[in-house]
Each structure stands twice: as structure tokens, then as C-alpha cells.
Amino acid sequence: MKEVWKPGTMIYPLPAALIGCGSSEDDYNLLTVSWLGTICTNPAMCYISVRPERHSYDIIRRNMEFTINLTTEALAEATDWCGVRSGKDYNKFSEMGLTPVKGSMVSAPIVAESPLSIECRVKEIVKLGTHDMFIADVLCTDAEKSLIDPETGAFDLGAAGLIAYSHGTYYKLGEPIGKFGWSVKKKK
């Protein structure tokens, strides 16, 4: 039996991502976001939702670019810290010992320590309520070379040690239980 609650967004787990923004080293900033996701495969599009009162909001709105940097167990403390501290008071890259690298196709920085960074250009901003959604075109993805299989060219996200966010708590991802399509695969 289930109990009916008030409306809420209990869609968990979600990625815990560091969002890079700014157009020069002087205004580079990081923001931790879990309200993000894929919108479309072709053309590649994604979104992040940000509260307008956040310091990074105006930076993203002004430059209309950002990067999504997936995080790992090794980046967990920085991920949390960047989510509770404001970039108006701290240089988050230097405080957390992270390396900003100018994006290949955007001015916003990627996080060198992240295994996968997604460079995005804002296409539309949708005002929703507590958060505004930045809908963006994905311009390119920057992948850690050591996680790319040299023979197949496949990126091994499983080996990256990614973390997820679920209702106020960060988690390591666990063991795989199957690959897409495994439930209908013909038995040998």
C-alpha cells in the first residue's frame, strides 16, 4: 500500500555534476547541479535548472554557455563544497584544487579532473518557478583518454567511478546488473 504525499520531485538518483561557467579566468565559477538531463539525442541537447538567486545564474545568462562536468568519488568533497559555497565569496577552482581548462568550443571552463565534460550553448531559458531551465545544444564532449578503449573507441563510464545524488545524499554507483536490451537478448 502507498501513502499519498504532496507534489514533489522525487525522481532520484540523479547525476551530481559540476557546472562550469564564465568566459575568462577572472570570472570562471563552478556550481553543483543535480537538476539536469538529456532532452534530445539528435540534435544533442540537454538542460540544467538553476535558481535565479545563485551567483552562477547571471554568469550563465550573460555568456549563454556552460559545461557539465560529471563527478567521481574522488571529486565528491569538491562537488558538495561547490554546492554550498558561493562563487561571489570564493574562487572554487583554487579552493578545491581543481584545474580549469577553457572549453574547446565554449569559453566556459571544463574541470580537468572530471572524466567527462559536456560543452553546451544555451538555446533557450524557460522560467519555471524556483528554478529556470537552461536548454542547451551540446557542442562537444571532452572524454578522459585513459577511459577510452583504444580498439573500440568506446568510453567506459563504469570505470570512471561516478557518483549520484539522491534526496540529499551522494552515492557511489554500484555493480552493473545488465546492458541495454539484456532482457530480450536471445539465449545462446
Side-chain angles (χ1 to χ4, degrees), residues 28 67 69 93 98-104 106-113 119 142:
Y28 280 172
T67 62
N69 301 275
F93 279 100
L98 299 174
T99 310
V101 176
K102 185 177 181 288
S104 304
V106 298
S107 297
I110 64 171
V111 176
E113 293 79 7
E119 299 185 30
D142 303 280

Side-chain angles (χ1 to χ4, degrees), residues 1 27 40 42 78 82 85 90 97 111 113 119 131 141 168 188:
M1 181 185 289
D27 74 341
C40 187
N42 190 8
C82 288
R85 298 289 187 221
Y90 297 95
V111 176
E113 293 79 7
E119 299 185 30
H131 292 69
T141 303
K188 290 183 181 181

Side-chain angles (χ1 to χ4, degrees), residues 9 22-23 28-29 33 37 44 55 65 83 93 110 123 132 155 157 168:
T9 53
S23 60
Y28 280 172
N29 194 36
V33 168
H55 177 70
E65 296 177 338
F93 279 100
I110 64 171
K123 184 176 187 146
D132 288 356
F155 186 75
L157 269 176

Side-chain angles (χ1 to χ4, degrees), residues 20-93:
C21 60
S23 60
S24 68
E25 287 189 34
D26 295 338
D27 74 341
Y28 280 172
N29 194 36
L30 291 169
L31 166 75
T32 301
V33 168
S34 282
W35 307 156
L36 74 155
T38 300
I39 296 175
C40 187
T41 301
N42 190 8
M45 295 175 67
C46 62
Y47 77 92
I48 60 171
S49 290
V50 180
R51 289 180 179 267
E53 59 269 17
R54 297 292 298 261
H55 177 70
S56 297
Y57 179 94
D58 289 329
I59 298 171
I60 296 169
R61 188 175 180 89
R62 181 174 59 249
N63 295 307
M64 300 297 278
E65 296 177 338
F66 60 88
T67 62
I68 297 172
N69 301 275
L70 298 184
T71 58
T72 63
E73 188 176 358
L75 292 170
E77 183 178 353
T79 302
D80 184 63
W81 193 91
C82 288
V84 295
R85 298 289 187 221
S86 175
K88 69 181 176 217
D89 300 322
Y90 297 95
N91 178 320
K92 294 181 182 183
F93 279 100

